[in-house]
Amino acid sequence: MKPFLYQVAALFYARYGVDVSRLAFVFPNRRTGLFFQKYLSEVAKRPLFSPAILTINDLFARLAKRQTADRISQLSLLYSHYPRLSGTDDSFDDFLYWGELLLNDFDDIDKYMVDARQLFRNLSDLKEIEREFDYLSEEQIAAIRSFWSHFNKQVDAPNHRHFLALWQILFDLYTDFRAALAAEGKAYEGQLFREVAEQEEAFELPYEQIVFVGLNALSVAEERFLDRLKQQGIADFYWDTCSEKVCDPDNRASYFMTRNVV
């Protein structure tokens, strides 16, 4: 049996021939794209212009028309706002641990299109979470309950007090940090994803069609973006549904496959 990527390459070359160069193919990573190009050349058996080979991160960056700031630059910029908002004199070295956590949290907040103001409210009352965050699943509620129980057992721990103090400034830190990055024409990855997913006008892309191949475990921002492209009639999707792991209901990959195909 031919490899999945070979089958995709053969399908599109048979359909478009040398005009396959007018398409864009989006893969989970660059390595997959290289294998696709190899198979496309084998199928064509002749020189041809390659279609655009992208990752989904590449596509978001092109649509947002901004560059992703490197990690050190993000930490430095985040720290430049931290002392003013927190009222502390923590050194950059002391801040690094919290800074790394915050960057990861901010990235997740935007990729999953969370209401940051609501999220960063004082969450000490678990009943308030269960009442007002009614969109959370039972598993998410259980995870939050476990999280706060862990900290409640360590009320006097310095890290716990630091965390609670930090919680109070998180929304201002989040908004100031995002604005400062935007002023420099930069962004972190989740910020790019959210801005593109929230874009109201139709996407203008220099491709006749965008083919998404083998994407898995998509964030909310990615799902909304792909759905918009599908509604515009320029997106096509391919998954290796014959894979043994994907067909196994006990394998988590099958959960994402079912979700994506539906």
Side-chain angles (χ1 to χ4, degrees), residues 39-54:
Y39 292 136
L40 185 59
S41 66
E42 291 178 5
V43 170
K45 298 179 181 177
R46 57 184 290 189
L48 76 163
F49 289 106
S50 173
I53 304 296
L54 308 169

Side-chain angles (χ1 to χ4, degrees), residues 74 78 160 169 178 194 200 255:
Q74 291 181 42
L78 186 64
H160 176 54
I169 67 164
R178 295 174 91 253
R194 185 169 200 154
E200 294 183 358
Y255 164 79

Side-chain angles (χ1 to χ4, degrees), residues 14-40:
R15 185 180 298 173
Y16 289 92
V18 295
D19 289 335
V20 72
S21 61
R22 301 204 303 262
L23 311 183
F25 290 84
V26 180
F27 299 96
N29 52 61
R30 300 189 190 284
R31 181 173 179 269
T32 308
L34 290 174
F35 274 97
F36 175 79
Q37 285 181 306
K38 171 181 176 292
Y39 292 136
L40 185 59

Side-chain angles (χ1 to χ4, degrees), residues 67-255:
Q67 294 182 339
T68 304
D70 65 80
R71 192 73 168 184
I72 297 300
S73 297
Q74 291 181 42
L75 285 167
S76 298
L77 187 59
L78 186 64
Y79 177 70
S80 71
H81 293 274
Y82 174 72
R84 170 177 57 82
L85 293 170
S86 66
T88 67
D89 57 356
D90 290 351
S91 68
F92 184 70
D93 288 342
D94 293 333
F95 170 77
L96 272 179
Y97 171 77
W98 297 104
E100 287 284 358
L101 291 179
L102 291 177
L103 289 182
N104 291 335
D105 287 345
F106 291 173
D107 194 64
D108 286 341
I109 286 168
D110 284 342
K111 284 183 176 177
Y112 287 89
M113 310 288 285
V114 174
D115 182 337
R117 182 184 293 278
Q118 190 175 19
L119 178 67
F120 290 140
R121 293 173 56 185
N122 188 343
L123 302 181
S124 59
D125 186 351
L126 183 61
K127 294 301 181 182
E128 182 178 346
I129 298 174
E130 295 177 339
R131 184 176 64 252
E132 296 189 9
F133 287 60
D134 56 357
Y135 57 85
L136 294 175
S137 67
E138 288 299 321
E139 292 79 7
Q140 289 170 319
I141 293 293
I144 293 173
R145 181 183 291 114
S146 174
F147 174 79
W148 280 100
S149 297
H150 169 74
F151 276 101
N152 286 339
K153 293 176 183 177
Q154 306 180 53
V155 173
D156 296 326
N159 279 349
H160 176 54
R161 292 196 298 272
H162 195 165
F163 174 83
L164 292 178
L166 184 61
W167 190 272
Q168 304 302 320
I169 67 164
L170 283 184
F171 181 69
D172 290 336
L173 188 59
Y174 167 81
T175 54
D176 288 359
F177 175 57
R178 295 174 91 253
L181 278 172
E184 296 182 358
K186 301 285 184 68
Y188 54 87
E189 190 174 274
Q191 186 178 6
L192 290 180
F193 280 34
R194 185 169 200 154
E195 289 178 4
V196 172
E198 290 178 340
Q199 183 176 316
E200 294 183 358
E201 61 271 18
F203 298 114
E204 295 183 5
L205 292 160
Y207 314 115
E208 184 176 306
Q209 187 179 28
I210 304 177
V211 184
F212 296 89
V213 183
L215 298 186
N216 197 32
L218 300 170
S219 68
V220 173
E222 289 170 320
E223 288 180 351
R224 291 190 185 181
F225 171 63
L226 297 186
D227 188 57
R228 289 272 304 284
L229 290 179
K230 181 180 179 182
Q231 291 175 19
Q232 282 186 230
I234 61 172
D236 203 356
F237 305 91
Y238 290 82
W239 287 279
D240 185 7
T241 56
C242 296
S243 168
E244 185 175 312
K245 292 181 179 179
V246 168
C247 294
D248 180 3
D250 295 325
N251 190 302
R252 190 156 180 78
S254 66
Y255 164 79

